[in-house]
Amino acid sequence: MMDPTTDNAGDPGGPRASLELLRTEIGKAVVGQDPAVTGLVVALLCRGHVLLEGVPGVAKTLLVRALASALALDSKRVQFTPDLMPADITGSLVYDARTAEFSFQPGPVFTHLLLADEINRTPPKTQSSLLEAMEERQVTVDGTARPLPEPFLVAATQNPVEYEGTYPLPEAQLDRFLLKLTIPLPSREDEIDVLTRHASGFDPRDLAAAGVRPVATAADLEAARTAVAKTTVSPEIAGYVVDLCRSTRESPSLTLGVSPRGATALLSTARAWAWLTGRDYVIPDDVKALALPTLRHRVQLRPEAEMEGVTADSVINAILAHVPVPR
């Protein structure tokens, strides 16, 4: 995914300008992860959720915390473990001896940004407790639906190298994530920058001391969402998105292609990307820019293709190169 341009024509000091300041502000705490920051902003604009994949120690947790601080939003972190229960996330009814009544005790899901750390380390029963929250933006306990705060985003992390004792996310739950962002190891220059910051006293637990300040608000985010909803999509672009997704269903390397929900997701992320780059209409490059993070977790490789070293990204890239681009 490319970084958005700084073209703010027609939006001086508006929500787009505020959201672009996020990258600079988060950069005070997290080095070299601009594409991931942009992906999280796109997810917020589309009211979606993000799956972050990367080896331990690449600042996945710090990234989400810094985003929450720069947006002046509440955030909570849950470490997913094999013994975690659904009520530990959603909350439960607690008996109050003083009133002889049960009252609802909200769980950590009642926040703006929920960091679900190592989500694949907890059993499917607990993983599925997030499904209603992610899709319906509410939690139902004892027959009563309780709405979640707005905005609400789940940023779930998983470790791509340690699969022992893990519970892979089912396809139905993977499809609920708008984007899957891969967090790479930093370049040599970025890693030197990280070490230099730590040597100078940087404490990742104290973002205020690092200088991270709110540069945008929930109101900016809501105004941005309204603007994104007005971004024009031509019939040719809609056809291009459909052709890309249908091609995944016909790929000999895949047992599962992109569903219509995935096509809708790609159109939504392309619109958000177009708006971030300063346009009020979508072009094919917007679709291409968001195709990998939007689609890579919505396809399933054939075992024989996986053994030959084929990856979801390589299949999608081949489809992008093959499907005719509208002019």
Side-chain angles (χ1 to χ4, degrees):
M1 198 194 313
M2 302 176 295
D3 290 329
T5 67
T6 55
D7 178 11
N8 282 311
D11 186 40
R16 185 187 293 122
S18 298
L19 292 180
E20 284 188 353
L21 291 175
L22 285 174
R23 289 190 299 159
T24 303
E25 203 64 22
I26 294 172
K28 296 176 181 178
V30 181
V31 178
Q33 297 293 358
D34 279 357
V37 173
T38 304
L40 285 166
V41 172
V42 166
L44 282 168
L45 290 175
C46 298
R47 291 182 169 85
H49 308 284
V50 175
L51 185 62
L52 299 170
E53 186 172 272
V55 298
V58 290
K60 298 187 293 293
T61 302
L62 181 60
L63 178 62
V64 176
R65 289 180 53 238
L67 176 66
S69 294
L71 277 170
L73 298 177
D74 293 329
S75 68
K76 292 178 183 174
R77 174 183 175 273
V78 178
Q79 179 65 51
F80 279 61
T81 57
D83 60 349
L84 193 72
M85 298 298 290
D88 296 330
I89 301 171
T90 60
S92 59
L93 294 176
V94 177
Y95 181 72
D96 188 338
R98 293 173 300 178
T99 62
E101 294 179 350
F102 285 92
S103 60
F104 178 67
Q105 183 66 39
V109 75
F110 286 86
T111 187
H112 293 123
L113 270 64
L114 176 68
L115 177 63
D117 219 350
E118 295 190 290
I119 191 173
N120 56 336
R121 292 207 174 277
T122 201
K125 179 181 180 181
T126 306
Q127 291 176 3
S128 65
S129 67
L130 277 176
L131 286 178
E132 182 187 14
M134 293 169 67
E135 191 69 18
E136 306 296 333
R137 297 178 182 273
Q138 67 179 27
V139 167
T140 302
V141 176
D142 195 35
T144 301
R146 294 173 168 85
L148 295 171
E150 185 62 40
F152 173 69
L153 178 142
V154 173
T157 72
Q158 63 178 14
N159 185 342
V161 294
E162 284 184 35
Y163 287 112
E164 208 169 309
T166 63
Y167 303 84
L169 294 175
E171 299 304 324
Q173 187 160 354
L174 280 173
D175 206 34
R176 295 303 198 281
F177 287 99
L178 181 72
L179 300 173
K180 179 181 178 181
L181 304 175
T182 55
I183 310 298
L185 289 165
S187 65
R188 183 175 185 273
E189 292 73 18
D190 286 340
E191 197 163 0
I192 289 173
D193 191 0
V194 171
L195 266 61
T196 301
R197 292 186 182 198
H198 279 265
S200 301
F202 170 70
D203 182 358
R205 292 174 292 274
D206 190 353
L207 293 176
V212 179
R213 299 286 185 270
V215 293
T217 64
D220 292 323
L221 194 57
E222 190 55 41
R225 288 171 170 177
T226 301
V228 168
K230 297 176 181 176
T231 303
T232 303
V233 178
S234 69
E236 291 78 15
I237 291 295
Y240 181 51
V241 170
V242 168
D243 290 344
L244 289 173
C245 295
R246 292 181 69 86
S247 293
T248 65
R249 302 168 203 163
E250 300 163 0
S251 171
S253 299
L254 302 176
T255 58
L256 180 69
V258 176
S259 68
R261 193 211 312 262
T264 302
L266 180 55
L267 188 62
S268 296
T269 56
R271 291 177 85 186
W273 179 263
W275 180 82
L276 279 172
T277 53
R279 279 177 283 101
D280 60 359
Y281 57 92
V282 180
I283 62 174
D285 282 349
D286 300 323
V287 177
K288 290 181 178 181
L290 272 296
L292 283 179
T294 308
L295 303 181
R296 59 163 60 109
H297 57 298
R298 303 176 192 271
V299 300
Q300 194 171 67
L301 289 167
R302 293 188 181 277
E304 55 269 29
E306 203 165 1
M307 290 175 64
E308 293 172 2
V310 176
T311 65
D313 283 14
S314 65
V315 172
I316 294 169
N317 278 326
I319 289 172
L320 286 170
H322 172 73
V323 174
V325 179
R327 299 297 177 188

